[in-house]
Amino acid sequence: MARNTRSKDWGFPRWRGYGSSFDAAPVRLCDRAGCDQKGDCPAPKSPNSPDRWYFCQSHAAEYNQGWNYFEGLDKEEAAQREAEERGEASGYRQAAWAEWGGSGDGTRSRDELRALEVLGLDPDADFDAVKKAWRARAKEVHPDVRPGDKAAAEQFQKLQVSYEVLRAAEERREWKG
């Protein structure tokens, strides 16, 4: 007759929760037909629907590839939804703090991207390129070079504001380390 043995977690602290067992944990499988991977990535079944499919990571990526999150919404509704999503997902801003990405891949704000567009630069331009482009474009439309030209004065003011936005952002990046 087999002798009963004491369990291995009899002391303090208990390494297993009270009432736990050695039974297998239920695992939801991928909803894609024929896939036997763990389905832990929820995906909406249709736009604006609470029903979800649960796919494995590879099938979720395939499903989301052609997905348009703002389908069927006008511009105001899309902007409202984006603002709500940004408010809920503000914790993901730490990706920029941890420097997981460089400029041009989501770490620049919309204001910075608009400023780069005014200067005629790509979203991944570094600050040296910003200074160079700002100096070149400012020399062309400076009020001292074109006195009395209102369009040139407005363009110069846009360049100044763009440069200030990018300079402040660069200072913040340097300050954070």
Side-chain angles (χ1 to χ4, degrees):
M1 193 159 123
R3 184 173 163 204
N4 289 342
T5 60
R6 185 163 35 180
S7 69
K8 304 247 187 272
D9 63 350
W10 56 270
F12 181 80
R14 284 182 60 89
W15 299 112
R16 196 171 60 229
Y18 293 100
S20 67
S21 64
F22 294 105
D23 297 337
V27 175
R28 183 180 181 115
L29 294 180
C30 179
D31 285 335
R32 184 71 173 261
C35 182
D36 60 352
Q37 300 292 319
K38 182 179 178 183
D40 56 356
C41 299
K45 289 187 176 182
S46 64
N48 301 321
S49 171
D51 298 332
R52 301 281 187 248
W53 296 107
Y54 286 87
F55 293 120
C56 63
Q57 196 166 9
S58 61
H59 287 128
E62 180 183 327
Y63 180 79
N64 289 332
Q65 185 176 10
W67 184 261
N68 182 1
Y69 187 68
F70 299 110
E71 184 177 341
L73 301 176
D74 60 4
K75 279 189 170 184
E76 291 82 23
E77 291 172 337
Q80 179 184 3
R81 179 178 284 179
E82 184 180 0
E84 289 170 1
E85 292 290 327
R86 285 188 185 277
E88 292 171 7
S90 61
Y92 292 106
R93 182 70 184 136
Q94 86 174 31
W97 171 80
E99 296 178 7
W100 292 341
S103 58
D105 58 1
T107 58
R108 290 197 187 253
S109 68
R110 283 189 177 184
D111 292 335
E112 291 175 71
L113 292 174
R114 284 190 201 112
L116 287 168
E117 189 177 313
V118 168
L119 292 172
L121 296 172
D122 292 331
D124 59 348
D126 62 344
F127 193 65
D128 292 332
V130 169
K131 281 199 274 190
K132 189 174 183 179
W134 174 73
R135 286 183 181 138
R137 305 254 337 248
K139 284 180 184 178
E140 295 171 1
V141 294
H142 195 279
D144 290 343
V145 175
R146 293 185 175 181
D149 189 357
K150 292 194 179 224
E154 288 177 14
Q155 183 65 22
F156 182 75
Q157 287 177 347
K158 286 182 185 177
L159 291 171
Q160 281 293 107
V161 170
S162 299
Y163 180 75
E164 288 299 317
V165 165
L166 294 168
R167 186 184 57 78
E170 182 66 19
E171 285 177 359
R172 279 192 304 274
R173 281 190 196 92
E174 288 177 2
W175 182 76
K176 284 183 178 179

